[in-house]
Amino acid sequence: MVRVTVLILHQEPGPDAGPLTRALADARTGLAEVHRRGFLAAGADEVRLVAGPSDHTPFGRRLRDLMDPIRGGLVLLGSGCLVLATAADRRAFVAVAASGERRALANNRYSADAIAVGMVDVLDGVPDLEADNAIARWLDESGRASVTDLRDRWRLAVDLDGPLDVLLAARHRICPPRIRAVA
């Protein structure tokens, strides 16, 4: 088993953000804490929140900068994704990251909001992808890693992309209490 690092990417609202944007950011911050605790409980060695305002840096470039000091396996996700993930879901991502193998696990190969890789070096040379959604396809198509996805687990497609998502997710029985409190 290799060391597992989890990076949770969180976009902070700008200074001119309105109340709905700030409420969405608060919900994502709460979910990031749920993920931090959940991934540590699932066996991750380190979980870091990488927060900052949007600066229009392509996702691929940002990822290259973030992974430089990381060795071993990596779980990478946005602070608003996997809102209905279970402990078993998090363990699946950590297991792949801990494998030390050239493989990856994504919540969805075609629209990845969360991905685990067993060797962080499979991400070397990632192009300047505009968003995280294409990372699993790039890994697969480039032959850098064997990619499996969990798109059959519908709950892993639920994200907090807008204020309405917070209200809808809060109605589900497995929604974290922190999200219900914001809704």
Side-chain angles (χ1 to χ4, degrees):
M1 286 192 63
V2 300
R3 179 175 174 75
V4 174
T5 301
V6 177
L7 296 180
I8 303 170
L9 306 180
H10 178 70
Q11 183 177 334
E12 295 175 333
D16 59 344
L20 289 177
T21 300
R22 291 191 183 284
L24 177 62
D26 290 347
R28 288 179 175 173
T29 299
L31 183 56
E33 177 59 18
V34 170
H35 286 320
R36 186 188 71 77
R37 291 179 185 181
F39 278 107
L40 287 171
D45 297 292
E46 176 185 10
V47 180
R48 289 194 330 234
L49 178 67
V50 180
S54 174
D55 62 4
H56 306 291
T57 300
F59 175 76
R61 185 177 313 149
R62 183 178 312 280
L63 180 56
R64 288 192 306 270
D65 292 344
L66 290 172
M67 57 182 237
D68 181 45
I70 298 172
R71 302 293 174 256
L74 173 68
V75 178
L76 181 70
L77 66 150
S79 63
C81 76
L82 303 182
V83 67
L84 301 179
T86 64
D89 296 325
R90 289 187 188 89
R91 284 192 302 270
F93 281 95
V94 170
V96 168
S99 73
E101 299 173 3
R102 299 185 79 73
R103 63 185 181 122
L105 178 67
N107 67 317
N108 186 314
R109 168 187 319 268
Y110 303 105
S111 184
D113 297 310
I115 190 160
V117 294
M119 299 172 66
V120 74
D121 68 349
V122 302
L123 297 169
D124 289 345
V126 63
D128 281 350
L129 304 170
E130 286 302 314
D132 58 349
N133 300 96
I135 193 74
R137 286 191 316 275
W138 175 77
L139 283 169
D140 195 38
E141 292 168 4
S142 68
R144 310 255 331 149
S146 170
V147 179
T148 303
D149 76 5
L150 301 172
R151 66 179 176 251
D152 60 329
R153 298 183 190 180
W154 66 267
R155 68 185 176 279
L156 298 184
V158 178
D159 298 336
L160 301 181
D161 291 329
L164 182 58
D165 296 328
V166 177
L167 295 174
L168 293 172
R171 297 181 57 92
H172 196 279
R173 64 179 172 73
I174 64 172
C175 182
R178 284 178 175 244
I179 304 308
R180 285 194 191 118
V182 174

